[in-house]
Amino acid sequence: MGKQSNETQSPVSNPTKFSILNLIDLSNPNINQSVHLLKQACLDSGFFYVINHGITEEFMDEVFAQSKRFFSLPLNEKMKILRNEKHRGYTPVLDETLDPEHQIHGDYKEGFYIGVEVDEDDPESSKPFYGTNKWPAPDVLPGWRETMEKFHREALEVGKAVGKIIALALDLDVDFFEKPEMLGEPIATLRLLHYGGQISDPSEGLFGAGAHTDFGLITLLATDDIAGLQICKDRDAKPQKWEDVSPLKGAFVVNLGDMLERWSNGVFKSTLHRVLGNGQERYSIAYFLEPSHDCLVECLPTCKSETNPPKFPPILCRDYLSQRYNDTHADLSIYKKQQS
């Protein structure tokens, strides 16, 4: 099951092809078929589509419409809710550099982070990825916060449903990722993204989003109908071969993150991907799902043996994520200097 593969031209005129990705239907009563398709996808590309996930197309359209409303605001209005040290709020164009080795400056995209809402007087708010969100003023964007909070809740349920299939694919109990220290108290981050009309040119170090792997457990990505996402199944290949991922209306493109690669001892791959701009505006919505702050990410019992010992040392989720975010985002002090 997958999209038809055919030759096409990438935004920078290098011959590429569309990747064939498996379709996981969350309404399919045959869980064994879903496990088989997911396992096949995870061993091949680490990317797959999820359909019939329970979020209506009408609501998805509303989330995209509200996202466009925010990014259409004047820059000075967006900068009023600049991201804070807990990665909540607006990220300007060039703020993030995902592939510093090959980029001459940051990504040609702007974004908006929304995390798990925890009141300031709650002791949990002291954790790096918990706290209060930053929101546009209600009189500027009426109903915006309510739309995004509803999507955050619904996407979490989709992520948990995918987590059950991943658990079975790794020969674990179906509720392995449901434990409090896993997705019972997750770090779940919604990120709205807007790519301007710039044309990417990898040979010049210009990217919509530089080549990277995602940090956490899984990512759910909803896109508009503009192509741009590319994956590289073998990051060590010389030269690297990139494949386009076709937009699929109403579906999530799901990919595995680095934590799942660590957990599975490298059995499931966190795949390199990037975004190339082709001169058209592009909107996408990413939902990054990670375990709790205090979760110890260590090799799963079903993924190690005497002949296949753990390849990665154990690490706390909070420490791993904090380091990865700090490595890829601009220091917030640069914006204070610009505003002074």
Side-chain angles (χ1 to χ4, degrees):
M1 295 176 76
K3 300 294 289 179
Q4 186 68 37
S5 172
N6 64 316
E7 294 298 316
T8 186
Q9 290 297 107
S10 79
V12 289
S13 300
N14 292 328
T16 60
K17 67 176 183 178
F18 277 107
S19 190
I20 300 174
L21 300 183
N22 282 356
L23 285 164
I24 311 296
D25 184 346
L26 290 188
S27 69
N28 185 357
N30 186 346
I31 189 69
N32 291 330
Q33 184 183 37
S34 296
V35 170
H36 171 74
L37 287 168
L38 182 140
K39 192 167 189 175
Q40 193 179 57
C42 293
L43 294 172
D44 174 43
S45 65
F47 274 74
F48 50 91
Y49 296 109
V50 165
I51 59 173
N52 294 324
H53 42 67
I55 302 179
T56 68
E57 214 162 283
E58 292 76 18
F59 183 56
M60 289 298 302
D61 289 343
E62 173 62 17
V63 178
F64 272 99
Q66 289 282 27
S67 175
K68 289 179 183 179
R69 288 186 190 112
F70 172 78
F71 289 119
S72 298
L73 293 173
L75 180 60
N76 66 331
E77 194 70 37
K78 291 182 283 193
M79 289 298 285
K80 290 177 183 176
I81 41 178
L82 178 70
R83 70 172 170 89
N84 58 22
E85 67 284 349
K86 293 206 172 190
H87 297 283
R88 309 296 177 96
Y90 176 62
T91 56
V93 175
L94 309 183
D95 178 75
E96 189 174 21
T97 306
L98 289 166
D99 186 13
E101 188 178 336
H102 299 105
Q103 290 181 255
I104 60 171
H105 48 57
D107 296 348
Y108 274 120
K109 69 175 190 291
E110 56 182 341
F112 194 91
Y113 280 119
I114 301 165
V116 176
E117 183 80 28
V118 177
D119 289 338
E120 288 180 353
D121 55 0
D122 189 323
E124 292 286 292
S125 68
S126 64
K127 293 180 176 178
F129 295 94
Y130 277 0
T132 55
N133 285 301
K134 302 181 79 170
W135 301 104
D139 59 326
V140 175
L141 291 176
W144 200 88
R145 173 176 178 169
E146 291 76 13
T147 297
M148 296 308 163
E149 288 183 326
K150 179 183 176 184
F151 181 76
H152 195 290
R153 290 192 302 270
E154 294 194 4
L156 177 58
E157 294 310 308
V158 178
K160 287 182 175 181
V162 174
K164 289 177 183 289
I165 303 174
I166 291 173
L168 292 172
L170 289 168
D171 297 320
L172 300 165
D173 182 79
V174 66
D175 292 323
F176 178 82
F177 292 111
E178 291 286 310
K179 300 170 189 171
E181 68 272 20
M182 299 284 186
L183 300 182
E185 298 172 0
I187 298 172
T189 304
L190 167 61
R191 193 178 190 195
L192 310 174
L193 293 164
H194 171 228
Y195 298 85
Q198 295 86 0
I199 296 175
S200 297
D201 186 348
S203 67
E204 295 291 331
L206 301 173
F207 298 88
H212 65 286
T213 55
D214 287 350
F215 312 154
L217 182 62
I218 57 172
T219 302
L220 311 177
L221 181 74
T223 71
D224 61 13
D225 57 0
I226 305 299
L229 176 63
Q230 294 188 328
I231 63 174
C232 175
K233 294 180 184 178
D234 184 358
R235 70 182 80 172
D236 298 318
K238 304 288 185 197
Q240 290 176 336
K241 293 181 180 178
W242 291 90
E243 299 178 8
D244 289 302
V245 174
S246 182
L248 186 60
K249 177 72 172 173
F252 282 113
V253 179
V254 181
N255 66 282
L256 312 181
D258 297 339
M259 273 191 209
L260 191 53
E261 182 170 322
R262 292 176 76 106
W263 248 321
S264 69
N265 210 20
V267 174
F268 285 178
K269 299 296 184 189
S270 175
T271 301
L272 201 62
H273 54 286
R274 67 187 186 184
V275 174
L276 297 189
N278 62 3
Q280 295 175 280
E281 276 190 290
R282 179 176 178 270
Y283 292 87
S284 64
I285 300 167
Y287 191 81
F288 303 103
L289 187 56
E290 344 287 12
S292 76
H293 283 79
D294 300 320
C295 180
L296 186 66
V297 181
E298 58 182 340
C299 184
L300 296 167
T302 56
C303 297
K304 62 183 177 182
S305 65
E306 285 186 16
T307 56
N308 184 30
K311 298 178 177 69
F312 307 95
I315 189 169
L316 278 174
C317 177
R318 68 165 79 201
D319 296 338
Y320 185 72
L321 282 182
S322 295
Q323 186 60 54
R324 293 294 301 271
Y325 271 89
N326 291 339
D327 287 346
T328 53
H329 288 74
D331 191 312
L332 283 169
S333 63
I334 68 165
Y335 299 114
K336 292 173 183 170
K337 291 174 185 173
Q338 290 172 2
Q339 292 168 348
S340 61

